[in-house]
Amino acid sequence: MEQATTLYRQWLDNCTDPALHADLLSAEGNEAEITDRFYRTLSFGTAGLRGVLGAGTNRMNLYTVGAATQGLSGYLNEKYDHPSVAIAYDSRHNSQLFAETAAAILAANGIHVWLYRELMPTPALSFAILHLRCESGIVVTASHNPAKYNGYKVYGGDASQISPEVAADIERRIAAVDYWTGIAKGTLEEGLQSGKIEYIPEETVEAYLQAVLAEQVDPEVCRRVPLSVVYTPLNGTGNRCVRTILQRIGVGQVTVVPEQENPDGDFPTCPYPNPEEQSAMQKGLELAEKTGGDILLATDPDADRAGVAVRHQGSFHRLTGNEIGVLMLRYIVQRRREMGTLPANPVAVKSLVSTKLADRLAEEMGVQMIDVLTGFKFIGEQIALLEQKGETDRFVLGFEESSGYLTGPHARDKDAVNAAMIICEMAAYYKEKGQTLLDVLEDIYSVCGRYLSVVDSYTFEGADGSAKMAAMLSALHADHPKEISGYAVTAVGDYLSLERTFAGGKAEKIRLPASDILEYTLENGASILVRPSGTEPKIKVYYSVVAGNLEAAQEIYRTAAAGVKKMLGL
């Protein structure tokens, strides 16, 4: 507490931004509030910065963004002779301000900046890095977090989010920056006048849209089959690009949810703007019922995640990220095989925590499935590896259970604009055959078995919560259970020690980068993964269960989940 109070006084003495100074004054005398603002410096990792807006070292503000940009500038200037950086931003509070501040600081450090003139989807930033041949990129966004958050994601020259090694190097440099004297001074206007800052031209946006269109599987299906779509950008960045793509592929009827059409950092009708959440989809579902739409599409505020609900037997059903990923795999491989465009030895990539059904389906369809750590940068790395071998065309799909998808190499991050296009293609193709996407899922289950995937999250706010979460995970790494809820544990994968141990004592190396993940395989074939969230103060538990029918799978999940809660001490 003493250190937090000292930092608080330093900020009061030095902070010149009127809004931040007023915010500091509002916390005066509130020890708990001061501690939460200053007990740590907002951590910088592979996902950059993410935190609550406000004054303090543990908040997103002009100074923490400035220090991060100064640290990034030092890294780039040491590594490259003439580096350039592309910058995008979303609809959140202060996103444009933070983007322009970062641009000015980079320019003051002699770095060339390409800045989007208007808010744009995160995948358009990833595309711009490749298209403009930049050494790095920044997008100011907190993705699907509530309105009080913002974030600052950093990309490398390969258009993927930075690696753990690069993040550690930049974080070391950030720690050495003095907020008050160590950040290079400059303004957006000065950068524009000097030519160090340029706005990204409209032709780059058009090139992005064309790159997405090039990933169509069946370019005529949406022109052939009438499809009624309700779309919500959840007050974020997707409105322009998604609607343009749907119009160009021939979707004739697109109705936008009016309350969620325009950018609004308050997200007034969807406080948690995540397309995985019922509350975020509610306005769209109501409109879809009213208009008689075939599907509801939603994209999160930075348009890298997509959610879907489909009309089936007269009512709407939301699909999970795992279900959409499996449906995409089935559609892309099946339809490209029919059209003669499927590459030899096709490759799909998914995160380790995504459904095991995708592995089973890939095996059934003759596709190589690669598992990677959580974080789409690891999927982007696999695309880059294929590119190095001249085999980019083998890549057919990358996906994460958290509603992130990519079907081509035009970007190295998940792309909800791309996903919206493929989802509409799928819906039209199967509609022509008299099926909904739920019917197709049942077809997949009939071949592969009835899989159930569930994600449980446990939140730990503040300094005490952070310590408690770390202690829980440390205890799990130290003591591996032999059973969970009476189900024998047949293998434990510890991704920190990079070793998988089996019940009989045998062990094998895990050939992935070290990560704070534990994976338990049960005697009934169920898989349970436990990991901390990379962007929120949460422990997440992922269940992948297979059984003869849904009821049996649900019972296995409920029983196992009770045991995991007990194991976590919850």
Side-chain angles (χ1 to χ4, degrees):
M1 177 60 199
E2 185 177 342
Q3 183 183 5
T5 302
T6 300
L7 286 169
Y8 174 68
R9 291 297 168 195
Q10 286 178 3
W11 276 61
L12 271 177
D13 291 342
N14 290 282
C15 175
T16 57
D17 181 80
L20 289 176
H21 198 268
D23 189 38
L24 286 167
L25 289 173
S26 73
E28 194 159 23
N30 187 334
E31 290 188 5
E33 178 66 16
I34 290 171
T35 298
D36 190 56
R37 289 170 181 262
F38 291 97
Y39 80 91
R40 66 169 188 164
T41 298
L42 200 63
S43 62
F44 184 94
T46 55
L49 301 174
R50 189 171 300 188
V52 174
L53 289 158
T57 58
N58 189 34
R59 294 288 188 269
M60 284 291 299
N61 54 64
L62 287 170
Y63 298 101
T64 51
V65 166
T69 307
Q70 188 62 43
L72 174 63
S73 297
Y75 169 80
L76 291 172
N77 277 328
E78 184 176 300
K79 189 171 175 63
Y80 304 102
D81 289 336
H82 303 287
S84 62
V85 178
I87 301 179
Y89 56 91
D90 71 2
S91 61
R92 289 177 178 274
H93 295 304
N94 290 340
S95 282
Q96 184 172 354
L97 173 64
F98 291 163
E100 292 176 351
T101 298
I105 293 168
L106 288 163
N109 279 280
I111 295 169
H112 192 271
V113 178
W114 293 98
L115 176 66
Y116 271 115
R117 191 181 290 271
E118 62 181 299
L119 52 79
M120 289 295 290
T122 286
L125 182 278
S126 181
F127 173 84
I129 293 170
L130 296 172
H131 188 71
L132 299 170
R133 295 183 173 87
C134 297
E135 281 67 42
S136 184
I138 299 166
V139 60
V140 181
T141 178
S143 190
H144 56 284
N145 284 65
K148 67 179 182 178
Y149 285 86
N150 211 328
Y152 175 104
K153 291 164 67 172
V154 178
Y155 292 72
D158 63 353
S160 295
Q161 288 181 53
I162 53 174
S163 69
E165 295 76 21
V166 172
D169 191 346
I170 295 171
E171 185 167 39
R172 175 179 58 80
R173 297 167 190 271
I174 294 169
V177 174
D178 184 290
Y179 289 123
W180 321 116
T181 63
I183 300 170
K185 303 291 185 185
T187 66
L188 177 68
E189 292 73 21
E190 289 168 350
L192 288 167
Q193 287 173 6
S194 70
K196 277 294 180 184
I197 300 174
E198 292 185 70
Y199 284 117
I200 293 175
E202 182 62 25
E203 65 189 44
T204 300
V205 181
E206 178 58 28
Y208 165 66
L209 294 171
Q210 289 296 331
V212 172
L213 285 169
E215 296 306 321
Q216 291 177 91
V217 176
D218 183 345
E220 297 303 318
V221 67
C222 289
R223 303 183 193 283
R224 262 194 337 263
V225 183
L227 192 69
S228 175
V229 177
V230 171
Y231 169 59
T232 172
L234 297 179
N235 301 118
T237 63
N239 195 31
R240 175 189 174 184
C241 290
V242 170
R243 292 173 72 177
T244 299
I245 287 293
L246 296 190
Q247 183 268 326
R248 290 189 187 181
I249 67 172
V251 178
Q253 186 175 344
V254 178
T255 306
V256 181
V257 177
E259 301 93 333
Q260 298 171 346
E261 178 175 3
N262 297 317
D264 189 335
D266 288 322
F267 309 113
T269 59
C270 49
Y272 195 63
N274 182 348
E276 298 173 275
E277 296 288 328
Q278 172 73 27
S279 59
M281 301 285 272
Q282 190 57 42
K283 286 288 183 184
L285 288 166
E286 291 169 5
L287 185 59
E289 291 281 9
K290 185 177 177 180
T291 61
D294 295 306
I295 65 170
L296 165 66
L297 273 175
T299 55
D300 70 340
D302 67 325
D304 63 352
R305 300 169 193 251
V308 185
V310 300
R311 185 181 292 279
H312 178 77
Q313 296 179 355
S315 60
F316 273 87
H317 300 260
R318 290 190 304 121
L319 299 176
T320 68
N322 276 318
E323 289 169 338
I324 298 165
V326 167
L327 284 164
M328 280 189 176
L329 179 63
R330 161 78 180 270
Y331 169 72
I332 291 168
V333 176
Q334 177 191 39
R335 191 74 186 109
R336 289 186 67 177
R337 186 168 277 146
E338 291 169 352
M339 297 184 72
T341 59
L342 185 68
N345 306 313
V347 171
V349 189
K350 71 176 181 64
S351 60
L352 185 69
V353 298
S354 299
T355 179
K356 303 294 184 186
L357 174 56
D359 301 86
R360 176 73 183 84
L361 180 61
E363 180 184 14
E364 187 73 25
M365 301 192 79
V367 176
Q368 179 188 353
M369 179 63 75
I370 299 173
D371 272 354
V372 296
L373 293 177
T374 304
F376 219 88
K377 60 184 168 292
F378 296 112
I379 295 174
E381 283 178 3
Q382 293 299 317
I383 300 172
L385 289 171
L386 288 169
E387 185 176 54
Q388 289 169 17
K389 295 187 288 186
E391 299 177 357
T392 312
D393 64 322
R394 291 179 59 202
F395 175 74
V396 295
L397 174 67
F399 86 92
E400 293 182 322
E401 57 76 34
S402 53
S403 300
Y405 321 96
L406 180 69
T407 72
H410 62 281
R412 301 294 159 84
D413 208 344
K414 47 193 176 288
D415 186 349
V417 183
N418 172 200
M421 179 181 76
I422 298 298
I423 288 164
C424 287
E425 271 200 35
M426 287 196 300
Y429 174 75
Y430 292 118
K431 181 179 180 180
E432 191 172 39
K433 293 180 172 297
Q435 290 184 299
T436 69
L437 296 181
L438 263 70
D439 291 324
V440 180
L441 268 178
E442 289 302 323
D443 288 348
I444 294 170
Y445 293 142
S446 70
V447 173
C448 299
R450 186 50 169 97
Y451 280 75
L452 175 68
S453 297
V454 182
V455 184
D456 289 338
S457 296
Y458 304 100
T459 302
F460 302 86
E461 296 279 7
D464 291 344
S466 180
K468 184 177 180 181
M469 191 167 80
M472 281 181 176
L473 291 164
S474 179
L476 292 182
H477 286 290
D479 185 18
H480 297 163
K482 292 183 170 51
E483 58 84 26
I484 296 175
S485 295
Y487 298 129
V489 176
T490 58
V492 177
D494 188 322
Y495 287 75
L496 273 184
S497 64
L498 293 177
E499 188 170 73
R500 180 173 284 104
T501 53
F502 297 89
K506 181 184 171 186
E508 67 181 21
K509 293 299 292 181
I510 294 172
R511 304 197 179 279
L512 287 171
S515 185
D516 195 359
I517 299 173
L518 286 140
E519 180 179 18
Y520 306 103
T521 304
L522 306 186
E523 60 183 328
N524 54 18
S527 169
I528 303 169
L529 286 99
V530 183
R531 61 176 282 268
S533 169
T535 56
E536 300 168 280
K538 291 180 178 180
I539 285 179
K540 303 185 85 170
V541 185
Y542 303 80
Y543 299 86
S544 187
V545 176
V546 61
N549 55 60
L550 177 59
E551 291 73 21
Q554 288 172 331
E555 180 57 29
I556 293 170
Y557 156 69
R558 283 192 294 266
T559 304
V564 169
K565 285 189 72 173
K566 185 177 179 182
M567 191 167 71
L568 291 171
L570 297 172

